Amino acid sequence: MAHLVLSQRYEIYYSQKQGVSCTDMAKSISVHKLTIPRELRRNSDNRNGIYKVVLAQKKSEGRQFNKLKYIGFTKEIKGFVIFG
């Protein structure tokens, strides 16, 4: 799954200001039509509901940073495992 980049978020911001529909916004940045309302819902300012590009980018990056990461089966971990 590809994530939105900063330029796409700017496109969403300016399109929203002009009153463009979510479907047309999605077509202009080549994403699925449900991506736009999801982006607006998840990354708008919680206090006033306004979509701000820089805040949206920070919130998105924060979620990516804080999500659980897959930790590989390293040599150190293999040392703790007892095969039976």
Side-chain angles (χ1 to χ4, degrees), residues 71-84:
I71 299 174
F73 201 64
T74 63
K75 290 180 182 179
E76 292 81 20
I77 295 173
K78 285 180 185 179
F80 292 111
V81 176
I82 300 173
F83 294 100

Side-chain angles (χ1 to χ4, degrees), residues 12-69:
I12 291 169
Y13 174 77
Y14 288 116
S15 296
Q16 184 185 30
K17 291 287 182 190
Q18 295 173 351
V20 177
S21 71
C22 290
T23 303
D24 291 338
M25 281 187 234
K27 287 179 185 176
S28 70
I29 61 173
S30 302
V31 295
H32 191 271
K33 64 181 179 180
L34 294 178
T35 301
I36 304 301
R38 185 180 303 124
E39 170 72 13
L40 294 173
R41 184 180 63 248
R42 294 182 82 189
N43 294 325
S44 291
D45 192 344
N46 292 334
R47 295 173 291 174
N48 55 18
I50 297 173
Y51 184 78
K52 299 174 184 174
V53 177
V54 175
L55 177 63
Q57 187 71 21
K58 284 182 182 181
K59 288 176 94 172
S60 176
E61 289 171 356
R63 278 192 301 278
Q64 288 301 310
F65 181 77
N66 291 327
K67 74 178 184 178
L68 295 175
K69 309 291 190 292

